[in-house]
Amino acid sequence: MRIWIVILISFFFNCNLSGQTRTIKGKVISEDFDSLAMVHIKTADKTIIGKTDFDGQFEINIPIDTAILQFEFTGMEQTEILLDKNCETLEIIMLNYAIYDYTSSSKIDRLRKKDFKNLKSKHAEAVKKGMFKSNTLCYQRYFVPIKPDLDRINVEIKEVKKVNKENFKTLNIGAIVKIPFEIDASEKRVKTYFSLCKNCTEKYYNYVITGEIVNKKNKNLTLEVKVTEIPIYDFQLYNGKIVKVGDNIKYEMKYSKVIIN
């Protein structure tokens, strides 16, 4: 009988919790002390539950048992925090997303960790500047290494370079190729499409330009291609120059894909 009473109490207690919410207010800034507008606030399952306003302020209602929140903003590293039970105010500093050229994955993580360790002093400085109200945090935040992901990507890039090099050797002057591009339709501008996609055909890309190979150079696996077809538009902007049918463009296959007919 006692067991059934305990089970019933637990059931009603959990049902009561499942319907409860709490309100959390806060502010999000960059490590350069700029307020961040339109930061996406998400739960652990990637559900968007709120956004910051133009002053970086936000107010969200979340289930009382929510433990993890994520903050995402273009140009910033994703920030994930573990909430304390009684947390009502969050003051968050997001770290810049940096691009490190010719740097090992181990060193990249060392540099990132150095920035992460500076967060406490930056928070204190934000308080002095009047951007934050308190030096006391009601959440936990942990450093997340990206070395494993970078190492995996490097392996994939090496494989792409190997495949592209073999494909480059098979291409002859006069061959017809299709080049996949990323496109900014608002400006009629295209740029090289970096792709790790293996054995992908034209249907995997949203924009391709067709051309005939008129020259080849081994440096960076460079093709000189005479454009024979530009879909939809009369011209495109490529590397800052207007390109029309009949014009020649230079395209490097070292890292980027070419679709061979």
Side-chain angles (χ1 to χ4, degrees), residues 116-134:
F116 183 84
K117 289 181 176 179
N118 285 335
L119 282 173
K120 187 175 181 179
S121 61
K122 284 186 175 291
H123 191 105
E125 190 172 348
V127 173
K128 289 181 180 180
K129 289 176 177 290
M131 303 189 75
F132 287 168
K133 296 179 179 179
S134 174

Side-chain angles (χ1 to χ4, degrees), residues 188 230 234-244 247-249:
K188 292 185 180 179
I230 298 178
D234 296 328
F235 67 90
Q236 282 289 355
L237 287 176
Y238 176 55
N239 288 342
K241 297 180 180 179
I242 292 177
V243 176
K244 298 180 180 179
D247 292 340
N248 289 0
I249 62 173

Side-chain angles (χ1 to χ4, degrees), residues 58-72:
F58 67 90
E59 180 175 332
I60 54 175
N61 290 311
I62 60 174
I64 200 168
D65 57 350
T66 298
I68 294 173
L69 289 179
Q70 297 173 346
F71 296 80
E72 294 183 358

Side-chain angles (χ1 to χ4, degrees), residues 206-238:
N206 61 8
Y207 198 82
V208 297
I209 288 178
T210 304
E212 177 186 349
I213 298 174
V214 295
N215 198 8
K216 292 174 60 177
K217 292 183 179 180
N218 289 328
K219 184 178 180 180
N220 293 328
L221 308 183
T222 302
L223 296 177
E224 186 173 349
V225 177
K226 182 178 182 180
V227 177
T228 58
E229 182 184 351
I230 298 178
I232 306 174
Y233 306 104
D234 296 328
F235 67 90
Q236 282 289 355
L237 287 176
Y238 176 55

Side-chain angles (χ1 to χ4, degrees), residues 36-253:
L36 296 178
M38 303 304 291
V39 175
H40 284 192
I41 306 170
K42 300 181 178 182
T43 54
D45 63 358
K46 301 297 182 181
T47 301
I48 298 176
I49 55 174
K51 297 177 183 179
T52 58
D53 63 19
F54 288 107
D55 296 318
Q57 306 276 1
F58 67 90
E59 180 175 332
I60 54 175
N61 290 311
I62 60 174
I64 200 168
D65 57 350
T66 298
I68 294 173
L69 289 179
Q70 297 173 346
F71 296 80
E72 294 183 358
F73 186 77
T74 303
M76 299 288 168
E77 290 194 7
Q78 177 184 282
T79 299
E80 182 172 287
I81 62 170
L82 183 62
L83 290 169
D84 292 348
K85 290 183 179 179
N86 298 320
C87 193
E88 296 180 350
T89 303
L90 293 175
E91 294 175 325
I92 306 291
I93 297 177
M94 297 189 75
L95 293 171
N96 296 327
Y97 182 87
I99 297 176
Y100 302 89
D101 293 326
Y102 309 109
T103 307
S104 70
S105 56
S106 297
K107 186 175 181 179
I108 289 173
D109 263 351
R110 287 199 300 271
L111 294 171
R112 291 179 61 249
K113 194 166 188 177
K114 182 179 178 181
D115 290 338
F116 183 84
K117 289 181 176 179
N118 285 335
L119 282 173
K120 187 175 181 179
S121 61
K122 284 186 175 291
H123 191 105
E125 190 172 348
V127 173
K128 289 181 180 180
K129 289 176 177 290
M131 303 189 75
F132 287 168
K133 296 179 179 179
S134 174
N135 281 308
T136 303
L137 304 180
C138 61
Y139 61 86
Q140 305 297 318
R141 183 173 173 179
Y142 301 98
F143 177 74
V144 180
I146 61 173
K147 183 180 184 301
D149 290 333
L150 293 177
D151 289 344
R152 174 182 53 79
I153 291 171
N154 283 333
V155 170
E156 292 175 349
I157 289 175
K158 287 180 180 178
E159 179 62 25
V160 167
K161 288 171 64 178
K162 181 180 178 181
V163 172
N164 286 352
K165 188 174 183 179
E166 292 302 315
N167 287 339
F168 182 82
K169 291 178 181 178
T170 67
L171 291 171
N172 298 315
I173 305 298
I176 302 298
V177 294
K178 293 187 176 182
I179 304 173
F181 287 100
E182 290 184 281
I183 182 169
D184 180 348
S186 64
E187 298 183 16
K188 292 185 180 179
R189 177 169 57 89
V190 293
K191 60 182 180 178
T192 303
Y193 192 105
F194 176 78
S195 176
L196 293 176
C197 186
K198 296 178 182 178
N199 302 316
C200 289
T201 59
E202 184 177 348
K203 69 179 181 179
Y204 288 90
Y205 304 99
N206 61 8
Y207 198 82
V208 297
I209 288 178
T210 304
E212 177 186 349
I213 298 174
V214 295
N215 198 8
K216 292 174 60 177
K217 292 183 179 180
N218 289 328
K219 184 178 180 180
N220 293 328
L221 308 183
T222 302
L223 296 177
E224 186 173 349
V225 177
K226 182 178 182 180
V227 177
T228 58
E229 182 184 351
I230 298 178
I232 306 174
Y233 306 104
D234 296 328
F235 67 90
Q236 282 289 355
L237 287 176
Y238 176 55
N239 288 342
K241 297 180 180 179
I242 292 177
V243 176
K244 298 180 180 179
V245 171
D247 292 340
N248 289 0
I249 62 173
K250 291 184 178 180
Y251 183 83
E252 295 180 357
M253 284 183 62

